[in-house]
Amino acid sequence: MAKTFKNMDKRVERSKAAVLRETYRQLSKNGISGVSIDVVSRTSGVSKTTIYRHWPSRSALLIDACSRLASVPMAPDTGSLRGDLCKLLKELASQLETANWSAVYPSIIDAAERDSEIRIMQAALHKAFMAPFGTVFNLAKNRGEIRSNKATTALLATSVGPLFYRRWFSREKIDGQFVEAIAETIVQTAYARSTK
Amino acid sequence: MAKTFKNMDKRVERSKAAVLRETYRQLSKNGISGVSIDVVSRTSGVSKTTIYRHWPSRSALLIDACSRLASVPMAPDTGSLRGDLCKLLKELASQLETANWSAVYPSIIDAAERDSEIRIMQAALHKAFMAPFGTVFNLAKNRGEIRSNKATTALLATSVGPLFYRRWFSREKIDGQFVEAIAETIVQTAYARSTK
Amino acid sequence: MAKTFKNMDKRVERSKAAVLRETYRQLSKNGISGVSIDVVSRTSGVSKTTIYRHWPSRSALLIDACSRLASVPMAPDTGSLRGDLCKLLKELASQLETANWSAVYPSIIDAAERDSEIRIMQAALHKAFMAPFGTVFNLAKNRGEIRSNKATTALLATSVGPLFYRRWFSREKIDGQFVEAIAETIVQTAYARSTK
Amino acid sequence: MAKTFKNMDKRVERSKAAVLRETYRQLSKNGISGVSIDVVSRTSGVSKTTIYRHWPSRSALLIDACSRLASVPMAPDTGSLRGDLCKLLKELASQLETANWSAVYPSIIDAAERDSEIRIMQAALHKAFMAPFGTVFNLAKNRGEIRSNKATTALLATSVGPLFYRRWFSREKIDGQFVEAIAETIVQTAYARSTK
DNA sequence: TCTTAACCGAGACGGTACGTCGCGTCTTTTG
DNA sequence: CAAAAGACGCGACGTACCGTCTCGGTTAAGA
């Protein structure tokens, strides 16, 4: 197998970094469709040729840049499901309001609708974002706050769905009271005897 | 004064219809960013000049075409909140799975993020989509199934949020059981004494 | 055969006048290629349909408007060929410097190069412009200042050619001295025994 | 620094040549206003983008193409002013009749009337065209055939003005006799004592 | 140390799309 | 029935971005 191994040229790294930085900047500001390879090239000082040398297509670069959007919060451990959920959901609400990925996410969702590679990336991104909720639900299950036959995926959908809905669909404010009501609902549901 | 009444050239209607039809077609297939005026012109047989005569900008045409996406279901009246919700949510779930607006909606959300006119259109579209839920909640309130101090907007977010989440964010199947669980949760929450 | 005859509607005259006025205005300012039917229509308040009813083509309108450019000076009669020529040429020089047709004339010449109708119009225009020179040369011939075998067309070419040359080709100033030198040359040539 | 020397892509020359060739062709046939970038692009096989990469504007391309119109004759040296002039003027007369620039020149004059860059180009073109006359007049001055106080610019105007006049203004034939008469006139004038 | 291969920037190139303008034809309604 | 209003198809304008390409120059590795 001869050479290979660790021949990552410093120049390569520098170019890639510059391109990703600039792509990320444009992405945050204008969404996926607002990223232009020509502009990235001009602004980053890395030539288009080089960009296409490192990423096979615009999509590939975008995927790479999007992956850096995730800033996953730590899973809290307040001792109760209600406490944990409140904390997590408030953190999420705050990010939905301020984080730059919040304005970009719909463009990813949209692209994912038609591009399978982006779909995979979005799935990964989503999984990372939702991981803390998984942790919190598992803790709660161990504490017996969630009936063992309840699916946590349903609880997750019921927890974050309403927040996403308000951020992107109804464009309503997400206040503390709303978050607490959601948390309360989840706690009730989690412990309730199954309807059926 | 002047103008008035019935001087609508037949050609205008024909052109507008042809353009909207073709725009809608492209929109359904490729999303907002996949609509090209040149292609619409070529395919519809209506010249670009004429298109821009009827719509001041690409956005305006898109908005017009998007507005035709809505196929709002009738509000059911089964006699109970649970029944109504189940019906509505199942209808929604089915549309999310099959209707062509389902693949396009994220692109509208995305465009709305940066274009205020599209934002307005999206708000109108959203309002129309959600109207049946409003009706159902009002009926339930009259029946006393919802405590009078409960905000129906919160109930709405909790109802449809989880479905939207599964369709566009987690990309999970939305089965009957899930929908029923949601409905059950809403019914419980609606009648529950406020947490505070 | 009924009505017809002399039913020149007042409106027709008003429309034609308004169109010609506006066309002339644009013509003077921007030359032939700077006249736009759409703009004439908008500015004159006469609809395009009406314009095309009265003139079969853009060219026709242009020709009509160009014909109004001519402001032919009276033929002087100072009693001598030199005096008459000086007067005429100075008048011409002054018009070349200031009259608005001076900036437009090349566009007519150019159009004439490719459009036979415009060529005819230009010929007429030219003939009108040059008429006073014909008169002056005839007077001189009667006075015996021009040998009878001399062609006045050659004298004309030698008289005005140099002025045109300076106005449009070399773009030099045309001063009194130059004009007088030309006049002197013509006088000499007119009376000289033929070279042959 | 950097860049330097000889990194001329072969494609550049090929594109430029093809574009200029086609532009020149259209120019000769239809005059300045008859040149369309889209058509040049289609016919030459060079994309519009590339054309605008090499010339900042339609005007610039036109100027470039026009500059290739000049086919300046050598200055003759027959030993006498009359001989030289006859030769030059006959050559000019022949070109006015047949050369393709003859049909295009008015459109340049016209454009120059309103576009300063084209004005500069026209001045250069004119200077090149007239250069042989300058040479001939200088020779004659050295031979004493032109009085030293005579301005050669006036002689030039009187020489070529009448020919231009006949070609573009009166559209008369320019025959040998006419040319000889002009030459004779110039010779006389050049040697004559100043009028003043 | 010196090649030599990989890397790089600059930018040419052909496409496709944008939104605007002018032309000359056509249709409809008003005075 | 002329006029006004303006829809319509056509084709040109100049710009932006895409992804591919050619061209020389630079840099880092290994022989």
Side-chain angles (χ1 to χ4, degrees):
Chain A
M1 288 295 123
K3 64 182 66 175
T4 16
F5 196 63
K6 200 64 237 212
N7 67 347
M8 198 57 162
D9 201 320
K10 271 179 221 158
R11 292 170 298 176
V12 175
E13 270 184 296
R14 201 163 46 79
S15 298
K16 280 188 145 190
V19 168
L20 278 172
R21 196 180 322 121
E22 175 58 20
T23 304
Y24 184 82
R25 215 182 50 73
Q26 288 186 36
L27 186 63
S28 309
K29 212 196 296 176
N30 311 317
I32 278 196
S33 68
V35 175
S36 142
I37 300 290
D38 284 66
V39 174
V40 168
S41 166
R42 271 198 293 278
T43 316
S44 70
V46 175
S47 83
K48 258 203 311 176
T49 327
T50 302
I51 297 178
Y52 278 100
R53 250 192 287 271
H54 292 317
W55 292 272
S57 69
R58 188 172 168 282
S59 273
L61 172 57
L62 254 6
I63 285 168
D64 214 343
C66 284
S67 308
R68 333 237 141 173
L69 283 171
S71 60
V72 184
M74 286 282 81
D77 190 358
T78 62
S80 75
L81 176 56
R82 176 181 287 109
D84 287 355
L85 264 183
C86 267
K87 216 153 176 222
L88 265 183
L89 288 175
K90 275 175 181 167
E91 168 66 19
L92 178 57
S94 137
Q95 284 209 15
L96 284 174
E97 209 172 331
T98 61
N100 45 16
W101 64 260
S102 156
V104 177
Y105 209 77
S107 71
I108 298 180
I109 299 273
D110 176 41
E113 203 67 39
R114 270 163 287 275
D115 181 327
S116 67
E117 294 188 74
I118 290 189
R119 191 151 53 242
I120 289 165
M121 179 271 289
Q122 189 248 324
L125 210 51
H126 179 75
K127 198 174 157 192
F129 271 131
M130 296 295 104
F133 285 91
T135 310
V136 160
F137 286 137
N138 282 334
L139 289 173
K141 217 158 201 172
N142 291 339
R143 282 191 299 256
E145 292 178 294
I146 302 178
R147 282 191 192 274
S148 58
N149 61 332
K150 291 274 176 185
T152 56
T153 61
L155 292 179
L156 179 53
T158 320
S159 303
V160 299
L163 272 67
F164 287 180
Y165 169 83
R166 289 212 153 171
R167 168 62 180 85
W168 289 302
F169 295 82
S170 72
R171 295 185 177 275
E172 298 166 89
K173 258 289 203 176
I174 307 174
D175 54 22
Q177 203 184 326
F178 179 70
V179 168
E180 279 155 23
I182 299 288
E184 176 62 23
T185 298
I186 302 300
V187 170
Q188 302 285 345
T189 306
Y191 195 68
R193 197 176 290 106
S194 231
T195 323
K196 180 87 88 5
Chain B
M1 50 231 69
K3 191 51 42 53
T4 37
F5 199 66
K6 199 65 236 210
N7 68 346
M8 201 56 165
D9 200 323
K10 274 179 215 155
R11 292 170 297 175
V12 176
E13 272 182 294
R14 202 165 44 79
S15 299
K16 282 188 148 189
V19 169
L20 278 173
R21 196 180 322 120
E22 175 59 21
T23 305
Y24 185 85
R25 216 183 50 74
Q26 286 187 35
L27 187 63
S28 307
K29 209 197 297 175
N30 311 318
I32 278 196
S33 67
V35 175
S36 140
I37 301 290
D38 281 63
V39 173
V40 167
S41 167
R42 271 198 295 276
T43 316
S44 68
V46 174
S47 80
K48 241 191 336 168
T49 324
T50 299
I51 296 178
Y52 279 101
R53 237 175 245 125
H54 293 312
W55 292 274
S57 68
R58 191 174 165 282
S59 272
L61 171 58
L62 256 4
I63 285 168
D64 213 344
C66 284
S67 307
R68 332 237 141 176
L69 284 171
S71 59
V72 183
M74 285 283 81
D77 189 358
T78 62
S80 76
L81 177 56
R82 176 181 289 108
D84 288 355
L85 263 184
C86 267
K87 217 157 175 218
L88 266 183
L89 289 175
K90 275 176 180 166
E91 168 67 21
L92 178 57
S94 137
Q95 285 209 15
L96 284 174
E97 209 172 332
T98 62
N100 44 15
W101 65 258
S102 156
V104 176
Y105 210 78
S107 72
I108 299 179
I109 299 272
D110 178 40
E113 204 68 39
R114 263 156 239 105
D115 181 325
S116 67
E117 293 189 75
I118 290 189
R119 191 150 53 241
I120 289 166
M121 180 271 290
Q122 188 249 323
L125 210 51
H126 179 75
K127 197 173 156 193
F129 272 132
M130 296 295 104
F133 285 92
T135 310
V136 161
F137 286 137
N138 281 336
L139 288 174
K141 216 158 202 172
N142 292 340
R143 281 191 300 256
E145 292 179 293
I146 302 178
R147 282 192 193 275
S148 58
N149 62 330
K150 291 274 175 184
T152 56
T153 62
L155 292 179
L156 180 54
T158 319
S159 303
V160 300
L163 271 69
F164 287 180
Y165 169 84
R166 288 212 154 172
R167 168 62 181 84
W168 289 302
F169 294 83
S170 72
R171 297 185 176 274
E172 296 166 89
K173 260 288 205 175
I174 307 175
D175 54 22
Q177 204 183 327
F178 179 70
V179 167
E180 279 155 25
I182 299 288
E184 176 63 24
T185 298
I186 302 300
V187 170
Q188 302 285 346
T189 306
Y191 195 68
R193 200 175 287 105
S194 229
T195 324
K196 181 89 84 13
Chain C
M1 290 293 123
K3 63 183 66 176
T4 14
F5 197 64
K6 200 64 237 210
N7 69 345
M8 197 58 161
D9 203 322
K10 271 179 224 157
R11 291 172 300 176
V12 175
E13 270 184 297
R14 201 161 47 77
S15 298
K16 280 187 144 192
V19 169
L20 279 172
R21 195 179 324 119
E22 175 59 20
T23 305
Y24 184 83
R25 215 181 51 73
Q26 287 187 36
L27 187 62
S28 309
K29 211 196 297 176
N30 311 318
I32 278 195
S33 67
V35 175
S36 142
I37 301 289
D38 284 66
V39 173
V40 167
S41 166
R42 271 197 294 277
T43 317
S44 69
V46 174
S47 82
K48 260 203 309 178
T49 329
T50 305
I51 296 178
Y52 277 100
R53 231 194 302 279
H54 293 317
W55 292 272
S57 69
R58 188 174 169 280
S59 273
L61 172 57
L62 255 5
I63 286 168
D64 215 344
C66 284
S67 307
R68 332 237 142 174
L69 283 171
S71 60
V72 184
M74 287 282 81
D77 189 358
T78 61
S80 76
L81 176 56
R82 177 182 287 110
D84 287 357
L85 265 183
C86 267
K87 216 152 176 223
L88 266 183
L89 289 175
K90 276 175 181 167
E91 169 66 19
L92 178 57
S94 137
Q95 284 209 15
L96 284 174
E97 209 173 331
T98 61
N100 44 18
W101 64 260
S102 156
V104 177
Y105 210 76
S107 72
I108 299 179
I109 299 272
D110 177 41
E113 203 66 40
R114 269 163 287 275
D115 181 326
S116 68
E117 294 188 75
I118 290 189
R119 191 150 54 241
I120 289 166
M121 179 271 290
Q122 189 249 323
L125 210 51
H126 180 75
K127 198 174 157 192
F129 272 131
M130 297 295 104
F133 286 91
T135 310
V136 160
F137 286 137
N138 281 336
L139 288 174
K141 216 158 201 171
N142 291 340
R143 282 192 299 256
E145 292 178 292
I146 301 178
R147 282 193 193 274
S148 58
N149 62 331
K150 291 276 176 182
T152 55
T153 61
L155 292 178
L156 180 53
T158 320
S159 303
V160 300
L163 272 68
F164 288 179
Y165 169 84
R166 288 212 154 172
R167 168 61 182 84
W168 289 303
F169 295 83
S170 73
R171 297 184 177 274
E172 297 165 89
K173 259 288 204 176
I174 306 174
D175 54 20
Q177 204 184 323
F178 179 70
V179 168
E180 279 155 24
I182 299 288
E184 175 62 23
T185 297
I186 302 300
V187 170
Q188 301 286 344
T189 306
Y191 195 67
R193 199 175 287 107
S194 231
T195 323
K196 177 90 86 9
Chain D
M1 48 234 70
K3 191 48 45 47
T4 38
F5 199 67
K6 199 65 237 212
N7 67 347
M8 202 54 167
D9 200 322
K10 274 179 217 157
R11 293 170 296 176
V12 176
E13 271 182 294
R14 201 166 46 79
S15 299
K16 281 188 148 189
V19 169
L20 278 172
R21 195 180 322 120
E22 175 59 21
T23 304
Y24 185 85
R25 216 182 51 73
Q26 287 187 36
L27 187 62
S28 307
K29 210 197 294 175
N30 311 319
I32 278 195
S33 67
V35 175
S36 140
I37 301 289
D38 280 64
V39 173
V40 168
S41 166
R42 271 198 294 276
T43 317
S44 68
V46 174
S47 80
K48 239 189 341 166
T49 323
T50 300
I51 296 178
Y52 279 101
R53 236 175 247 125
H54 293 312
W55 292 274
S57 68
R58 191 175 164 282
S59 272
L61 172 57
L62 255 5
I63 286 169
D64 213 344
C66 284
S67 306
R68 332 237 143 176
L69 284 171
S71 60
V72 184
M74 286 283 82
D77 190 357
T78 62
S80 76
L81 177 55
R82 175 182 288 110
D84 287 356
L85 263 183
C86 267
K87 215 152 177 221
L88 265 183
L89 288 175
K90 275 175 181 167
E91 168 68 20
L92 178 57
S94 138
Q95 284 210 14
L96 284 174
E97 209 172 331
T98 61
N100 44 16
W101 64 260
S102 156
V104 177
Y105 210 79
S107 72
I108 299 179
I109 299 273
D110 177 41
E113 204 66 40
R114 263 156 240 105
D115 181 326
S116 67
E117 293 189 76
I118 290 190
R119 190 149 54 241
I120 289 166
M121 180 270 290
Q122 188 249 323
L125 211 50
H126 179 76
K127 198 173 156 192
F129 272 131
M130 296 296 103
F133 286 91
T135 310
V136 160
F137 287 137
N138 281 336
L139 288 174
K141 216 157 202 173
N142 292 340
R143 282 191 299 256
E145 293 178 292
I146 302 178
R147 280 192 195 275
S148 57
N149 61 331
K150 291 273 175 184
T152 56
T153 61
L155 292 178
L156 180 54
T158 320
S159 303
V160 300
L163 271 69
F164 286 0
Y165 169 84
R166 289 212 153 171
R167 168 63 181 84
W168 290 301
F169 295 84
S170 72
R171 295 184 177 275
E172 297 165 87
K173 258 289 203 175
I174 306 174
D175 55 21
Q177 204 184 326
F178 179 70
V179 167
E180 279 155 24
I182 299 289
E184 175 63 22
T185 298
I186 302 300
V187 171
Q188 301 286 345
T189 306
Y191 196 67
R193 200 175 286 104
S194 231
T195 324
K196 177 89 83 15

